[in-house]
Amino acid sequence: MAPLEEVRAYHSVKTKTISELKAMNAANHHNAGEQSLWYAVHARSRHEEVVFGGFRKKMIETFLPKVEVMSRRKDRRKRILAPLLPGYLFVHTDLNPSQYWDIIKTYGVVKIIGIEGKPVPVKDEEIASLRILDGTDRTVKNQAYITEGDRVMIMEGPLKGLTGYYVKHKGKSGKVVVSIELLQRSLAVEIEDWKVDKIS
């Protein structure tokens, strides 16, 4: 989801090395066995809904997080639901060979996100945060990927339970930055006077 400069004063950018992500992948698969996990799927531009429908027809559990935005139509302005992470959606699967090819062969799919051609699961905590944001009318802004800073949880309000990194701008509303590690993407969510507690 200029944005980088907005948060650099509060966090420093840290990118996972290939070796670190490969180690995470190995650990996840070792612990998971054949249980279903969440994987990120890269879709062709503006094909998120097409891919979502394709997965549903194949009975593949899928999640396409959305956010309310103002439409860009010139004739009228109205609020619509748009993908929260353009170009990405998520599938819940044990990724057996048959399911893998069902996913890959779905029209509009580019690839399953991974390292060196091997799919890597998305953390359950990150999926949980995306579910909280799903359908929100809060102002959500895609950010450069953030890993360092005060990790917080919103304790009240419509986004209760959301975890991320807290950013405070003098004279402005604070924000919580939610990061999706595998995608190297972050989302900045405006918050009001809700209670925010540091969790690490």
Side-chain angles (χ1 to χ4, degrees), residues 1-15 141-147 167 169 175 177 184 186 188:
M1 341 27 227
L4 180 59
E5 283 70 19
E6 183 180 359
V7 296
R8 269 181 171 166
Y10 303 91
H11 307 291
S12 62
V13 175
K14 176 183 177 183
T15 302
K141 183 178 182 181
N142 276 267
Q143 293 284 127
Y145 182 68
I146 306 300
T147 59
V167 179
H169 296 275
K175 295 182 180 180
V177 178
Q184 298 285 279
S186 294

Side-chain angles (χ1 to χ4, degrees), residues 40-102:
V41 175
H42 183 198
R44 292 171 59 185
S45 177
R46 299 185 181 181
H47 278 64
E48 299 91 351
E49 291 286 359
V50 173
V51 174
F52 180 80
F55 287 158
R56 293 293 294 271
K57 288 180 180 178
K58 295 181 179 182
M59 305 298 289
I60 298 172
E61 184 178 357
T62 183
F63 172 44
L64 175 57
K66 298 180 179 181
V67 62
E68 282 193 15
V69 298
M70 293 299 297
S71 69
R72 296 181 179 180
R73 294 185 57 173
K74 295 181 179 180
D75 55 338
R76 67 178 184 273
R77 301 278 287 173
K78 66 177 183 178
R79 299 193 72 83
I80 60 172
L81 287 173
L84 182 60
L85 291 166
Y88 296 97
L89 59 164
F90 304 87
V91 292
H92 194 232
T93 174
D94 62 6
L95 216 58
N96 62 66
S98 176
Q99 188 105 107
Y100 174 84
W101 287 111
D102 273 347

Side-chain angles (χ1 to χ4, degrees), residues 111-196:
K111 63 181 178 180
I112 300 174
I113 302 300
I115 300 299
E116 296 182 352
K118 296 181 179 180
V120 177
V122 178
K123 293 178 180 178
D124 287 341
E125 175 187 322
E126 295 170 351
I127 293 294
S129 288
L130 288 175
R131 286 197 180 280
I132 292 172
L133 288 176
D134 185 34
T136 183
D137 60 357
R138 291 279 103 192
T139 299
V140 178
K141 183 178 182 181
N142 276 267
Q143 293 284 127
Y145 182 68
I146 306 300
T147 59
E148 296 184 354
D150 291 338
R151 191 155 179 76
V152 299
M153 176 182 288
I154 296 176
M155 306 304 293
E156 59 184 33
L159 300 183
K160 180 179 179 181
L162 183 73
T163 60
Y165 300 91
Y166 182 66
V167 179
K168 179 64 177 177
H169 296 275
K170 186 176 181 180
K172 298 181 179 179
S173 297
K175 295 182 180 180
V176 169
V177 178
V178 178
S179 295
I180 311 301
E181 184 175 15
L182 179 62
L183 302 183
Q184 298 285 279
R185 298 283 292 276
S186 294
L187 305 163
V189 185
E190 287 189 0
I191 58 175
E192 297 176 349
D193 294 327
W194 305 325
K195 180 176 173 58
V196 176

